[in-house]
Amino acid sequence: MTRAALRPPPAAEAPTGTRVRWLPGWLQTAAALRRLALASVVANVAIVVTGGAVRLSDSGLGCPTWPRCTDSSLTPTKQYAVHGIIEFTNRQLTIVLAVIAVATWLVAMARRRERALATGAALGVPAQAVLGGLTVLTHLNPWLVAGHFLLSMAIIAVTFVLWSRLRDTDAPARAAAAPGAVLLVRAVLAVAAATLVIGTVVTGSGPHAGDKSADGTVHRTGLQVSSMAQLHADSVWVLVGLTVGVLALLYALGAAPAARRAAAVLLGVELAQGVIGYTQYFLHVPPLLVGLHMFGACLVWLAALQLAWLMPAAARPLRTAG
């Protein structure tokens, strides 16, 4: 995320916009907009988890075409049984996500608040639908599957910033930090993003392809999974080391408790995610642990975003007592 994206709106900015007659009044309040933004964050995390369930249950081609489930039916048929139901259900959750995104966009337009972010979040839904369709039409090409996951991470970032801007209207309450702390936090965010990217390559090289194509082949990246897993582990340890450095620096500088707490939460989530990652590796990646690891990746990303959010847009040295 760039500095501009993480910068809060000016404290004086509190436009109320105009009322939309055909929208209920309660839906056009500031509180409703905040709740919708939070619902967007939660829904996008949920779609990542359910998408993982599709892959891990070998239901990626339960609906072998798109936008229909089969060439002759919009819904699953007996031929594809349970796998078709799992894949079709995940597709229907996209409708829920779209409803939340459109509602958020409408209220943001009405209140003239954070229109760009709300528009970006709304446009992410059809983009994901198209990319998901391409993954099906290419018989689960691992690179497209990776892009499908990473686009979700980008949308989660957009919706998180949208929610954060709406809930944090008191700019002076944000944590002050020295320039070095801000740079270190940006490094944490960058390494967290890189770790997510490498993680998708590990998954695309591993045993969970999501399903087999019509001729029985399984599409993989062709990279050696042990080497990719080692690279992923190395990036995780770099992330943990940077987070420990941020936490120590924030305590040394006497930063605001919220910033120190955010760094501690991030470190805790990273360590828990590391335990899950190593456990699934030595147990030969059982599906349940892989799904839990995907959920943990969302939590690490959100925790890193929260820490970055608490850093001020314009860094300044902290005043020291005495």
Side-chain angles (χ1 to χ4, degrees):
M1 303 298 290
T2 63
R3 177 185 297 183
L6 292 173
R7 183 178 297 124
E13 181 188 349
T16 57
T18 57
R19 293 284 180 180
V20 179
R21 292 182 179 180
W22 51 272
L23 279 178
W26 60 268
L27 189 59
Q28 300 184 57
T29 63
L33 183 55
R34 284 195 300 271
R35 290 169 187 151
L36 283 169
L38 177 59
S40 291
V41 177
V42 174
N44 278 285
V45 172
I47 204 75
V48 169
V49 175
T50 58
V54 170
R55 183 189 188 106
L56 297 170
S57 62
D58 290 333
S59 303
L61 294 177
C63 286
T65 188
W66 184 88
R68 290 174 172 267
C69 186
T70 68
D71 291 332
S72 59
S73 174
L74 182 64
T75 59
T77 61
K78 292 182 179 180
Q79 178 183 359
Y80 295 97
V82 176
H83 293 307
I85 293 174
I86 293 173
E87 165 64 6
F88 184 75
T89 301
N90 184 65
R91 291 188 185 187
Q92 300 316 296
L93 289 176
T94 304
I95 298 176
V96 177
L97 190 62
V99 169
I100 296 173
V102 170
T104 305
W105 180 81
L106 287 173
V107 179
M109 293 298 109
R111 294 191 59 80
R112 298 180 183 175
R113 288 295 308 273
E114 308 301 342
R115 290 178 167 184
L117 285 171
T119 300
L123 291 177
V125 177
Q128 273 290 55
V130 171
L131 186 54
L134 289 174
T135 63
V136 172
L137 296 177
T138 57
H139 302 290
L140 306 181
N141 180 291
W143 300 109
L144 287 180
V145 173
H148 199 38
F149 173 82
L150 294 174
L151 181 54
S152 285
M153 295 297 105
I155 298 173
I156 287 172
V158 171
T159 54
F160 174 85
V161 174
L162 172 62
W163 175 58
S164 298
R165 285 186 172 181
L166 293 170
R167 67 187 169 100
D168 295 343
T169 57
D170 186 12
R174 286 159 60 85
V182 175
L183 290 174
L184 199 54
V185 168
R186 289 177 183 170
V188 166
L189 195 61
V191 173
T195 301
L196 290 174
V197 173
I198 299 171
T200 63
V201 178
V202 176
T203 303
S205 306
H208 297 294
D211 206 339
K212 296 179 180 179
S213 62
D215 59 0
T217 59
V218 177
H219 293 284
R220 300 284 74 200
T221 64
L223 301 173
Q224 188 174 9
V225 64
S226 58
S227 299
M228 294 300 100
Q230 183 61 58
L231 180 61
H232 183 56
D234 292 341
S235 68
V236 169
W237 282 116
V238 171
L239 179 60
V240 170
L242 287 171
T243 305
V244 170
V246 168
L247 183 60
L249 183 59
L250 291 178
Y251 270 96
L253 294 173
R260 301 199 301 264
R261 184 166 55 250
V265 168
L266 175 59
L267 180 60
V269 175
E270 288 169 353
L271 293 176
Q273 181 74 331
V275 170
I276 296 172
Y278 277 108
T279 303
Q280 72 171 10
Y281 180 79
F282 289 114
L283 293 180
H284 304 291
V285 287
L288 182 61
L289 284 182
V290 176
L292 189 60
H293 200 54
M294 291 182 67
F295 177 62
C298 294
L299 296 184
V300 169
W301 184 229
L302 286 170
L305 290 168
Q306 172 67 4
L307 179 59
W309 175 256
L310 291 173
M311 294 296 105
R316 58 186 181 279
L318 289 172
R319 296 179 180 178
T320 54

